[in-house]
Amino acid sequence: MSSIFDDNPGGAPAPAAGRPGWARGVLITAVVLIVLFFAMSSFTGFWTERLWFDSTGFGSVFSHLIITKIGLFLVFGGIMAATVTANAVVAYRLRPLFRPASPEQVGLDRYRQAIAPVRLWVLLGLAVVTGAFAGGAGADAWRDYLLWRNQVPFGSKDPYFNKDKGFYVFELPWLHHVVDFAMAVFVVSLLVTLVVHYLYGGIRLQATRDRLSGPAAAQISVLLGLFVLVKAADYWLDRYDLLNSGGGVVDGITYTDDHAVMPAKTILMSIAIICALLFFANVVRRTWMLPSVGLALLLLSAILLGLIWPGAVQQFQVGPSQPDKEREYIARNIEATREAYGIADAEVTPYAGKSALTQQEQRDELGNTPGIRLVDPQLIRSAFENQQQLRKYFSVADVLDVDRYQVNGRERDIVLGVREIDQTGIPDDAKNWSNLHTVYTHGYGVIAAYGNQRDADFREQELPDNPEWAGKGASDASSDLAPDGYRPQIYFGEQSPDYSIVGKPSKDARDVELDQPSEGDEDATSTYDGKAGVAIGSTFRQLLYAWKYGDPTIALSGRVYDTSKILYDRKPSQMVEKVAPWLTVDSDPFPAIVDGKVVWLLDGYTTTDQYPLSQHGSYEEMTSDSLASPTEFRTLPTDEINYMRNAVKAVVDAYDGTVTLYAWDEKDPILKSWRKAFPGTVKDKDEIPAEVLDHMRYPEDLFKVQRYQLQRYHVTNADNFYAGKERWEVPADPTVDAPANAAKQLQPPYRLSVRTSDAADPVFSLTSTFVPKDKSNLAAFVSVDGDASRESYGKIRILELPSTGPVRGPSQIANDFATDSAIQAKLTQFNVSQNISKVYGNLLTLPVGDSLLYVQPLYTKKAGAETSGNFPVLNFVLVSFGDRLAIATTMSEAIAEVLRVENDDRPSGGGEGPDDGPGGPVLDDEVVSLLQRADRQFAQAKQALSDGDLAGYQEHTVEAERLVGRALEVAQATPSPSAAPSASPSPSASAKP
């Protein structure tokens, strides 16, 4: 083959440049070492990944991915390398045999002589480099390829081209990749051809005529013709891209796109085809006049038709009457967006927002108040760690999770966190390799507290109080949730170490993996015996992992036995993202105790940015709020999406690392395609165990994306949408003090049990609120049924408040709490302002009858002390209802107080009915007397608790709750209650200014 490139066969070989032998040896050795280093690193990464996938039971996913990527790399890289090489060889073969002498050619002779000895190597290097870049780009397109290869129809068509929507999601991205690749092949080939022809005289830039030889002109014409022909195909595909274009009043086709851009693309495609034919004709005619005219026409048309014409249509036709011109296109965008984000079936209910309750509503709501969650999952973290972490090397998540469990026959909201290993808390003198990687290997147990500050028997605990633990103490913190016990070791968690080596040499050998400290001299230990983990007994594997982690101790330590396993890549989100790389994983894995073990439950989304006519949004922006974590695991090729489905729910065993994927939205076409591409990796929905289903819930990231879109797309009328008068926004979190110039931190959604119109019992829901754009009053309350075991799961309910007579929003209520004189007087008595700082918990919003109840726990913390023993303590409950505020030390007291209306101007037993006057219902003397007696009982219970008399505390609390209940019965049975004075200065209530 070398003879092909021999410019002087039979001639004497060119002299080799002299180089000292030792220098050449050093250079070769350095190159070999570098190559070996990268080869070893690549092999180690590849092989340890394969071992990890095999250990989790998803080896087929790894194999299929590798085969697909290698196949795409070879195909695209081979086509690029072969095409470029072939054009270079053809250009060399077509070089002129005679090159007229000229200064230009004399200068090029030096380059020809320099390149002659290494011509073959240059060609091979060119092929390798171009092939590697093209192959890498092809391998990166594995998602587009697999979706195209395994596509299924959506079952609905777009209104413009009458194509199934699956064409835009599955076919169009892959066709664009192929077309873009073809254009790149011809461009690179053309550049290489030009260089070779110029180097060997086929192109003479300084000649007065015949600057291109005939063969050079023919080859260049063919390549240009092929490029322009492929560009015509690109124009054809661009027509379909208009259904996902942006920049207009909405995403998708607009009036200008429909009447200017789309016809322009068709015309440009036709001109490009004609231009390509002219280039092909130039192979025979050998005149550049017609191809040049055709190319100039294409460029001029691209400017006139692609830029000027659409701009003129937008300026002079659309601009003067945009609402009328765009009405049809806005309506289609609204319909597509609501469908793409799963909000088309949101139930919107007009909501009065009136401030008075009927007697029946009082009875219903006060019966429901024990379920209101007071414990703030973020603020209570320090209390969890301080009182339940056992040692500094245990920790819980920054924001705890909220779930529900059956306790003593009653469904309870539970705040819980996993006690995970935190190696930063290990004493410095104990941070040696053996401790870090073979002793401190796992966390231990789940810490749980009742969300409403009531114990297992549903007795209300008066504040101040620590969290009401769902168990008997630190060693048994979840006994109420799992009466039969559960396996507490947490080897797979959100804070797991990079790697741990587990196992012991024999069954009779001593356990060294620390469980938890015991009261005796020796701590409790155990040995991992789970399914996951890679066997590391062989010397070969020990060397592999020593190289992988840059730690030779793995291969040298006596703690690594023949039976040992290495655990790594064991964060639940990371594990799901690896075994299902086509999913976007929710940022909040949450734990549950199921069937005697701790599991992590996660949600996986299928997303695309190609759903026709739907509005795009930044995933990061849509899921951002004051609690958003920056470490979400996402596999999106782009941050912009316009379609999202909760397609998969995943379960990760916290002990043995078993990962199980269940199909959730089995109708999702994207999920169907991925299940075809990776058969057997996702189980059917009906295979979800009932115990697991009871703890599955509506995912937060999906709800955040939906509420983001509902800010605009709750409006279904195109004219109102364009006007923007009904636009909403998520309010800022009133508990966060953000700097003036900082981005607004949105109020996060809260998990609460909410009473709905179609359910007898409160429904475990994910809730949020809306305020009007750039205003603070409340516009709507939104919730989604979050219990996966209910038929109503996923039903979005919106309570829309009237625009007249605005209802106060979260920030306004928070300001009322902070400035109310009665509340501040109560806090002053508590000495908050001097030695204790106030910490406001999450401000919860709950619908009550036709109005809204605001509840906010108030924590206190010693000011200026940031020690491990200083943590917020729940002291008060703040409540707002209608135009009244209250502060108390129990929820029952606060609710009872906020429903009381003082009217000193009205005589006792006055003739006005319960709904007369601006104050609303009025309590009679008997009710007030009962509440005063209850208040005294609460005070005595508080004193008993301070004295350590738990029996007396319980006795007084039960009696106080009985008196409150009796007062409610009397109030609801009284046909015309009379005015009465306030029962007691504690709790405090006042009307809003």
Side-chain angles (χ1 to χ4, degrees):
M1 181 177 177
S2 61
S3 62
I4 296 176
F5 307 100
D6 190 358
D7 202 29
N8 186 23
R19 184 186 298 274
W22 66 267
R24 184 180 296 110
V26 170
L27 179 61
I28 292 175
T29 301
V31 171
V32 169
L33 290 177
I34 292 174
V35 171
L36 287 176
F37 174 80
F38 284 106
M40 184 62 184
S41 298
S42 299
F43 173 76
T44 299
F46 168 80
W47 200 254
T48 54
E49 278 293 279
R50 188 189 73 82
L51 293 174
W52 185 92
F53 274 89
D54 287 343
S55 73
T56 57
F58 286 86
S60 61
V61 173
F62 181 78
S63 300
H64 191 40
L65 276 177
I66 291 299
I67 292 172
T68 301
K69 290 183 177 181
I70 291 176
L72 291 172
F73 182 91
L74 293 176
V75 170
F76 284 92
I79 291 174
M80 173 67 83
T83 305
V84 172
T85 303
N87 276 279
V89 171
V90 168
Y92 181 81
R93 282 296 196 88
L94 295 178
R95 70 192 186 282
L97 298 178
F98 171 75
R99 292 184 288 269
S102 67
E104 180 182 24
Q105 294 304 313
V106 171
L108 290 174
D109 279 338
R110 290 178 297 178
Y111 293 101
R112 288 191 283 264
Q113 291 173 3
I115 204 173
V118 293
R119 193 180 300 130
L120 177 60
W121 292 106
V122 171
L123 185 67
L124 292 177
L126 179 65
V128 169
V129 171
T130 56
F133 278 104
D140 288 341
W142 64 269
R143 290 183 180 85
D144 292 340
Y145 169 75
L146 288 177
L147 284 175
W148 169 75
R149 183 73 176 79
N150 299 279
Q151 62 182 287
V152 298
F154 267 69
S156 57
K157 298 182 178 181
D158 76 273
Y160 297 98
F161 298 103
N162 198 35
K163 284 186 171 291
D164 186 270
K165 293 176 181 177
F167 167 80
Y168 302 92
V169 175
F170 302 128
E171 285 192 56
L172 190 58
W174 178 247
L175 292 177
H176 265 301
H177 180 80
V178 171
V179 169
D180 292 343
F181 169 74
M183 293 198 316
V185 167
F186 295 132
V187 168
V188 174
S189 298
L190 179 62
L191 293 175
V192 171
T193 298
L194 291 172
V195 170
V196 174
H197 277 300
Y198 177 71
L199 183 63
Y200 290 97
I203 299 176
R204 299 186 297 275
L205 298 179
Q206 296 181 2
T208 56
R209 62 186 182 87
D210 295 333
R211 294 183 176 180
L212 273 71
S213 65
Q219 186 178 6
I220 294 171
S221 295
V222 170
L223 290 174
L224 285 173
L226 290 173
F227 173 79
V228 177
L229 189 62
V230 175
K231 183 60 182 175
D234 190 48
Y235 280 131
W236 178 257
L237 295 179
D238 285 346
R239 298 162 64 250
Y240 301 111
D241 286 336
L242 293 176
L243 274 71
N244 278 298
S245 63
V249 63
V250 291
D251 286 353
I253 287 184
T254 59
Y255 182 92
T256 300
D257 295 329
D258 195 12
H259 293 81
V261 180
M262 191 182 299
K265 296 291 184 182
T266 304
I267 295 172
L268 289 172
M269 178 195 67
S270 304
I271 296 175
I273 293 175
I274 295 172
C275 187
L277 294 177
L278 292 176
F279 276 115
F280 294 146
N282 193 50
V283 175
V284 178
R285 294 181 59 86
R286 303 292 175 87
T287 174
W288 289 97
M289 177 62 70
L290 290 179
S292 300
V293 171
L295 186 60
L297 177 62
L298 179 61
L299 295 176
L300 182 61
S301 300
I303 296 173
L304 293 176
L305 299 178
L307 296 176
I308 297 178
W309 182 20
V313 171
Q314 180 69 31
Q315 180 70 27
F316 300 108
Q317 283 191 263
V318 177
S321 56
Q322 190 173 36
D324 299 326
K325 297 290 187 181
E326 301 287 15
R327 182 180 296 111
E328 171 190 349
Y329 306 98
I330 293 175
R332 287 176 174 170
N333 170 264
I334 292 173
E335 180 182 1
T337 301
R338 289 171 62 87
E339 175 61 31
Y341 290 100
I343 57 177
D345 296 328
E347 180 183 274
V348 181
T349 304
Y351 199 61
K354 61 183 181 182
S355 61
L357 289 174
T358 65
Q359 292 181 357
Q360 182 61 43
E361 288 168 346
Q362 290 183 29
R363 184 183 301 110
D364 292 343
E365 181 52 35
L366 288 171
N368 185 42
T369 53
I372 297 178
R373 175 174 59 78
L374 295 179
V375 175
D376 188 322
Q378 182 182 24
L379 294 181
I380 206 63
R381 173 184 184 269
S382 55
F384 270 53
E385 291 208 330
N386 185 270
Q387 299 190 24
Q388 295 283 329
Q389 70 175 358
L390 304 177
R391 293 291 188 274
K392 285 191 67 176
Y393 46 77
F394 286 121
S395 182
V396 295
D398 292 337
V399 180
L400 304 180
D401 292 283
V402 181
D403 200 357
R404 69 266 183 231
Y405 287 82
Q406 287 285 335
V407 179
N408 294 341
R410 186 190 297 265
E411 188 171 271
R412 303 288 300 275
D413 286 2
I414 303 293
V415 178
L416 70 166
V418 172
R419 187 190 291 115
E420 297 199 51
I421 193 71
D422 180 9
Q423 293 187 342
T424 61
I426 301 174
D428 291 339
D429 58 355
K431 289 182 179 179
N432 54 64
W433 187 90
S434 294
N435 281 341
L436 291 175
H437 299 293
T438 66
V439 176
Y440 296 93
T441 58
H442 60 279
Y444 193 84
V446 173
I447 312 171
Y450 293 106
N452 59 358
Q453 209 64 16
R454 288 172 176 259
D455 64 14
D457 296 323
F458 214 65
R459 293 188 296 264
E460 188 170 34
Q461 307 302 304
E462 187 176 4
L463 307 178
D465 193 16
N466 294 316
E468 186 62 35
W469 304 114
K472 300 177 182 177
S475 62
D476 191 19
S478 298
S479 58
D480 290 347
L481 312 186
D484 298 330
Y486 66 98
R487 194 162 202 169
Q489 289 86 0
I490 310 296
Y491 281 89
F492 296 83
E494 295 181 276
Q495 301 180 44
S496 295
D498 288 341
Y499 75 90
S500 297
I501 295 177
V502 295
K504 57 183 180 179
S506 65
K507 291 184 178 179
D508 299 330
R510 181 173 62 93
D511 297 325
V512 298
E513 298 163 32
L514 180 65
D515 275 348
Q516 65 170 339
S518 63
E519 297 179 358
D521 295 334
E522 295 187 3
D523 293 332
T525 57
S526 64
T527 298
Y528 176 77
D529 190 28
K531 297 178 181 178
V534 177
I536 198 177
S538 68
T539 302
F540 172 70
R541 291 190 178 181
Q542 291 172 15
L543 290 173
L544 275 181
Y545 285 98
W547 185 281
K548 177 182 177 70
Y549 289 105
D551 191 348
T553 312
I554 295 176
L556 300 175
S557 175
R559 283 285 183 94
V560 183
Y561 314 111
D562 292 340
T563 56
S564 293
K565 286 184 174 182
I566 184 170
L567 306 179
Y568 60 100
D569 289 352
R570 46 190 172 137
K571 294 178 174 59
S573 296
Q574 182 184 18
M575 297 176 73
V576 175
E577 185 256 342
K578 289 183 68 172
V579 302
W582 39 274
L583 283 176
T584 297
V585 182
D586 191 271
S587 61
D588 183 31
F590 59 97
I593 302 176
V594 177
D595 197 22
K597 57 187 178 182
V598 180
V599 297
W600 295 95
L601 304 179
L602 303 95
D603 291 277
Y605 309 117
T606 52
T607 60
T608 182
D609 61 344
Q610 295 295 316
Y611 192 84
L613 303 178
S614 177
Q615 192 73 18
H616 291 78
S618 164
Y619 187 90
E620 181 178 1
E621 180 183 355
M622 290 189 289
T623 57
S624 175
D625 60 31
S626 62
L627 299 182
S629 168
T631 58
E632 295 91 345
F633 288 87
R634 302 191 183 110
T635 56
L636 292 172
T638 174
D639 182 58
E640 294 285 325
I641 64 171
N642 69 349
Y643 173 95
M644 188 175 186
R645 287 291 185 272
N646 180 201
V648 170
K649 289 190 179 290
V651 181
V652 178
D653 192 305
Y655 177 75
D656 68 11
T658 301
V659 180
T660 310
L661 305 178
Y662 296 102
W664 186 253
D665 189 347
E666 295 182 306
K667 296 180 180 179
D668 177 31
I670 299 180
L671 174 61
K672 291 180 181 179
S673 297
W674 286 122
R675 295 186 75 179
K676 285 179 63 178
F678 296 96
T681 59
V682 181
K683 295 185 177 182
D684 293 337
K685 183 177 181 179
D686 56 16
E687 296 184 52
I688 301 177
E691 299 85 357
V692 175
L693 186 65
D694 287 340
H695 292 280
M696 288 181 170
R697 60 188 190 178
Y698 202 80
E700 285 193 21
D701 281 354
L702 176 60
F703 183 69
K704 291 177 185 178
V705 170
Q706 290 174 325
R707 74 170 181 175
Y708 178 92
Q709 294 298 338
L710 281 170
Q711 292 177 131
R712 297 178 64 194
Y713 287 91
H714 69 281
V715 179
T716 56
N717 179 274
D719 291 329
N720 293 340
F721 184 94
Y722 178 84
K725 294 183 296 183
E726 300 178 18
R727 187 171 298 182
W728 297 339
E729 64 181 11
V730 179
D733 189 344
T735 66
V736 175
D737 294 326
N741 297 327
K744 182 170 68 173
Q745 297 193 43
L746 305 181
Q747 188 177 36
Y750 296 124
R751 295 192 183 275
L752 301 168
S753 294
V754 178
R755 189 176 294 277
T756 62
S757 59
D758 55 358
D761 299 320
V763 178
F764 188 69
S765 305
L766 197 55
T767 68
S768 186
T769 57
F770 291 113
V771 296
K773 180 72 172 175
D774 299 325
K775 294 184 179 181
S776 300
N777 59 286
L778 197 65
F781 173 86
V782 58
S783 67
V784 59
D785 295 2
D787 187 345
S789 62
R790 301 175 66 102
E791 292 185 2
S792 62
Y793 170 87
K795 184 175 183 179
I796 299 176
R797 308 169 190 268
I798 301 174
L799 303 179
E800 185 173 4
L801 281 80
S803 56
T804 58
V807 177
R808 299 179 75 78
S811 63
Q812 295 172 324
I813 294 297
N815 184 68
D816 291 342
F817 285 149
T819 58
D820 181 75
S821 58
I823 291 177
Q824 295 308 311
K826 180 75 173 180
L827 296 178
T828 301
Q829 295 174 10
F830 190 71
N831 202 27
V832 169
S833 60
Q834 297 181 18
N835 301 319
I836 301 175
S837 62
K838 295 175 289 186
V839 182
Y840 289 94
N842 40 210
L843 180 57
L844 308 179
T845 307
L846 288 166
V848 178
D850 284 330
S851 189
L852 291 163
L853 175 72
Y854 288 95
V855 177
Q856 185 172 36
L858 178 60
Y859 293 77
T860 56
K861 182 179 179 182
K862 188 176 180 181
E866 294 299 333
T867 63
S868 59
N870 184 27
F871 56 90
V873 176
L874 180 58
N875 271 277
F876 298 102
V877 181
L878 304 175
V879 174
S880 171
F881 182 78
D883 60 350
R884 293 185 58 78
L885 308 172
I887 181 172
T889 56
T890 68
M891 177 63 73
S892 296
E893 291 180 81
I895 293 295
E897 189 66 27
V898 82
L899 291 176
R900 181 184 315 175
V901 177
E902 297 177 4
N903 191 336
D904 296 335
D905 295 332
R906 183 183 303 168
S908 178
E912 290 188 355
D915 296 325
D916 293 338
V922 183
L923 302 180
D924 68 358
D925 295 334
E926 182 180 359
V927 174
V928 173
S929 176
L930 288 168
L931 290 174
Q932 289 174 332
R933 290 167 56 191
D935 190 58
R936 288 192 292 270
Q937 289 291 331
F938 279 123
Q940 293 175 21
K942 186 174 182 179
Q943 183 60 44
L945 182 62
S946 301
D947 297 339
D949 183 5
L950 297 181
Y953 167 74
Q954 179 175 342
E955 178 183 350
H956 290 301
T957 300
V958 171
E959 176 63 16
E961 291 181 351
R962 187 191 67 80
L963 291 170
V964 171
R966 176 58 183 159
L968 296 175
E969 293 176 1
V970 172
Q972 292 158 1
T974 302
S976 180
S978 58
S982 178
S984 169
S986 174
S988 300
S990 65
K992 296 177 190 175

